[in-house]
């Protein structure tokens, strides 16, 4: 299970990397170059301010207090302690490779997150030029990569294929997180809950069956919740 998830993650990461680079390069080119992107970004109130944030709706800078900064740092740094991330290191074949794995993972996160932020900055220029729609809020702007891929697909056959690869990259990132979370849930129930918490002794085969049943059960619940995106969980 761990090997299968790690292998698919590698392939999905490659697709995501290609998608991010293509989107960024295409966006900068259409926006008129990096200089134009920077100038448009500087026109935003609160541009690169540590204590202010830009309100896209009102077009003004708003205070960004220390509590917000601390909360965002806690959210970001907490990423390294997420179960589906730690499982990768726990399943490593050789403990001596942990240092190298840590460096690769950290570099990947910095590059991917950095490029994602730059895509947002480039997207602002494309929005000002009327190439992308005016996003009502940050939630609506989350479709920016899909919108850029849609624009790219209008430039011919090859760009359309490239746009499809970008969309595949988005699906790859979704699948990567989904299968990791499913594996983490299965491991939590079969090992942490059944064996460690309830002290039930089970064979390796039984443990695997419990893990598979957990994956199916969680998947069914997920499908049920996703059937109506507007609904709340348990009425809360």
């Amino acid at each position: 299970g761990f090997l299968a998830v790690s292998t698919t993650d590698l392939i999905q990461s490659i697709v995501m990397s290609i998608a991010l680079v293509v989107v960024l390069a295409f966006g900068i080119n259409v926006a008129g170059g990096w200089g134009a992107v920077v100038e448009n970004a500087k026109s935003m109130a609160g541009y690169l301010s540590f204590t202010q944030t830009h309100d896209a709706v009102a077009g003004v800078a708003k205070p960004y207090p220390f509590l917000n900064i601390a909360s965002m740092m806690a959210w970001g740094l907490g990423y390294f302690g997420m179960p589906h991330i730690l499982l990768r290191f726990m399943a490593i074949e050789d403990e001596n490779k942990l240092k190298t794995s840590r460096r690769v993972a950290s570099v990947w996160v910095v590059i991917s997150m950095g490029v994602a932020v730059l895509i947002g900055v480039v997207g602002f220029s494309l929005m000002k030029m009327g190439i992308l729609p005016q996003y009502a809020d940050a939630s609506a702007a989350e479709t920016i990569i899909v919108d850029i891929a849609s624009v790219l697909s209008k430039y011919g056959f090859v760009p359309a294929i490239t746009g499809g690869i970008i969309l595949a990259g988005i699906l790859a990132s979704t699948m990567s997180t989904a299968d990791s979370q499913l594996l983490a849930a299965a491991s939590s129930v079969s090992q942490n809950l059944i064996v460690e918490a309830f002290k039930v002794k089970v064979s390796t085969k039984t443990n695997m069956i419990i893990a598979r049943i957990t994956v199916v059960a969680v998947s069914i619940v997920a499908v049920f919740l996703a059937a109506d995106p507007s609904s709340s969980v348990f009425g809360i």
Side-chain angles (χ1 to χ4, degrees), residues 79-183:
Y79 173 84
F80 298 100
M82 290 184 178
H84 67 284
I85 302 299
L86 293 180
L87 282 175
R88 302 295 191 283
F89 295 95
M90 294 169 63
I92 198 165
E93 62 179 0
D94 184 0
E95 291 183 4
N96 295 323
K97 295 181 180 179
L98 279 173
K99 184 179 293 185
T100 302
S101 299
R102 183 184 66 216
R103 290 171 179 171
V104 171
S106 298
V107 170
W108 156 248
V109 168
V110 171
I111 293 176
S112 60
M113 295 298 110
V115 172
V117 170
L118 288 177
I119 289 175
V121 175
V122 172
F124 177 74
S125 293
L126 298 179
M127 187 178 67
K128 288 192 66 175
M129 296 172 64
I131 298 175
L132 294 183
Q134 293 287 332
Y135 299 111
D137 50 37
S139 178
E142 291 179 358
T143 62
I144 186 170
I145 296 182
V146 176
D147 293 333
I148 293 178
S150 177
V151 174
L152 175 62
S153 66
K154 298 176 181 178
Y155 281 75
F157 178 75
V158 175
I161 295 296
T162 306
I165 294 177
I166 293 172
L167 295 179
I170 297 173
L171 291 176
S173 63
T174 303
M175 291 171 59
S176 175
T177 302
D179 61 24
S180 298
Q181 295 288 10
L182 284 173
L183 182 61

Side-chain angles (χ1 to χ4, degrees), residues 7 10 12 49 52 59 70-71 86 88 107 130 147-148 155 164 195 210-211 220:
T7 302
L10 172 62
Q12 290 160 352
S49 172
Q52 290 182 322
S71 297
L86 293 180
R88 302 295 191 283
V107 170
D147 293 333
I148 293 178
Y155 281 75
V195 177
I210 294 174
I220 292 175

Side-chain angles (χ1 to χ4, degrees), residues 33-56 59-64 117-118 120-125 128:
W34 180 247
V37 171
V38 173
E39 287 301 316
N40 285 324
K42 287 182 177 180
S43 68
M44 292 188 293
Y47 170 75
L48 287 183
S49 172
F50 193 72
T51 57
Q52 290 182 322
T53 184
H54 180 73
D55 186 339
V60 298
K62 287 189 173 181
Y64 199 68
V117 170
L118 288 177
V121 175
V122 172
F124 177 74
S125 293
K128 288 192 66 175

